[in-house]
Amino acid sequence: MALINSGKSVSDLAEAAGVDPKTFERWITKGRTPHRVNAVRAAQALSEDVSYLWPDIERGRRQPGSHPDLIGVYTTRAGAPLDAWRALFEQAETQIGILVYAAVFLHELWPDFNRLLRGKAANGCRVTVLLGDPDSDAVALRGREEAYGHGIEARCRQALLHYAPLIGTEGVEIRQHGTTLYNSVYRGDDIMVVNAHRYGINAYATPVLHLRRATEGGLFDGYAESFEQVRRLSCPVSRLSAEE
């Protein structure tokens, strides 16, 4: 799928990866895993995350005892590669989930983000966006903890304005919640990015877990259940309330 979407030939990609075209074809047709250096080059040429194309490469780099669901860890959200975010949402086919207070960085980095979500929904992908209710006690408390005053409430309202054009779109849910947000969760099918929160620190400066569902009841499933619990406690946003 990534090869088809790229519009590039096998020869072009083989050259970018530094291998013979027949070698590249074997990666595709026989499911062989390339050397990491070649895999990274190929992933860059395809504008994909290497962990999405060849998850075994990342699993092989894990330290003994690390969880099988863990693809990687980034020191900060700001330090997570854009390709990882792109692969998370662009490759999703059945469901996309976003659990945040605001996360306005998605639309700032990705001006066509709404168009992507609308297109995914049109193709049968369920899209659920859970935003923080700016009038909730939990959001106000987070603002005091981060020493931003009313900044986080403003970001929550800004986020709703970003997503407002999607309200009423078939297959898309825009909801608000007033729960304590221990982690922000971004899901695309069986891939997930979890942004940990730290007291007094904005989310962009806190660590990120990159997960793939490899085990039942593991890290991925735990955060997925957390997402569903918040969804059950959230309220749908009407077009009228978004416009107000």
Side-chain angles (χ1 to χ4, degrees):
M1 182 64 72
L3 177 61
I4 295 173
N5 290 340
S6 73
K8 297 179 181 178
S9 68
V10 169
S11 297
D12 291 337
L13 293 169
E15 182 179 355
V19 298
D20 183 88
K22 290 184 178 180
T23 298
F24 196 97
E25 286 180 355
R26 285 194 289 271
W27 297 349
I28 301 170
T29 59
K30 298 184 181 298
R32 295 183 181 177
T33 300
H35 292 297
R36 179 172 175 78
V37 172
N38 301 127
V40 169
R41 291 172 180 164
Q44 290 174 342
L46 288 165
S47 298
E48 296 287 354
D49 183 16
V50 67
S51 61
Y52 173 80
L53 298 173
W54 293 287
D56 288 342
I57 290 177
E58 297 299 329
R59 280 197 280 267
R61 299 178 72 219
R62 294 196 190 102
Q63 294 297 318
S66 64
H67 196 281
D69 284 6
L70 184 64
I71 295 174
V73 179
Y74 303 106
T75 305
T76 65
R77 189 190 73 195
L82 182 58
D83 284 350
W85 293 104
R86 293 184 65 88
L88 177 71
F89 297 116
E90 288 185 348
Q91 300 302 323
E93 296 181 351
T94 60
Q95 61 179 307
I96 288 174
I98 299 171
L99 167 59
V100 296
Y101 275 153
V104 294
F105 77 96
L106 288 173
H107 285 88
E108 291 171 348
L109 291 176
W110 208 335
D112 290 338
F113 194 56
N114 277 1
R115 183 162 58 183
L116 169 73
L117 297 181
R118 186 179 287 109
K120 289 294 181 180
N123 287 321
C125 184
R126 188 174 76 252
V127 178
T128 304
V129 180
L130 308 178
L131 302 173
D133 179 352
D135 297 319
S136 66
D137 292 339
V139 168
L141 177 60
R142 178 59 57 83
R144 292 195 296 272
E145 291 172 350
E146 292 183 353
Y148 276 94
H150 295 289
I152 189 167
E153 290 98 324
R155 294 201 304 275
C156 289
R157 292 188 172 92
Q158 181 184 358
L160 182 56
L161 288 175
H162 281 310
Y163 288 105
L166 296 176
I167 296 173
T169 300
E170 185 175 355
V172 177
E173 281 189 299
I174 309 296
R175 306 173 71 92
Q176 287 182 317
H177 67 95
T179 64
T180 300
L181 196 61
Y182 299 101
N183 301 277
S184 297
V185 177
Y186 308 84
R187 177 178 183 176
D189 292 346
D190 285 346
I191 304 295
M192 183 181 288
V193 171
V194 178
N195 189 182
H197 291 182
R198 287 169 50 197
Y199 183 88
I201 304 295
N202 190 280
Y204 73 83
T206 56
V208 162
L209 302 179
H210 196 185
L211 305 176
R212 177 187 296 271
R213 190 178 190 274
T215 56
E216 184 175 354
L219 286 174
F220 184 100
D221 284 354
Y223 286 113
E225 175 58 25
S226 179
F227 184 100
E228 288 303 318
Q229 287 178 332
V230 175
R231 183 189 174 281
R232 288 193 289 269
L233 294 170
S234 66
C235 297
V237 179
S238 69
R239 187 173 298 277
L240 177 61
S241 63
E243 290 173 350
E244 292 175 345

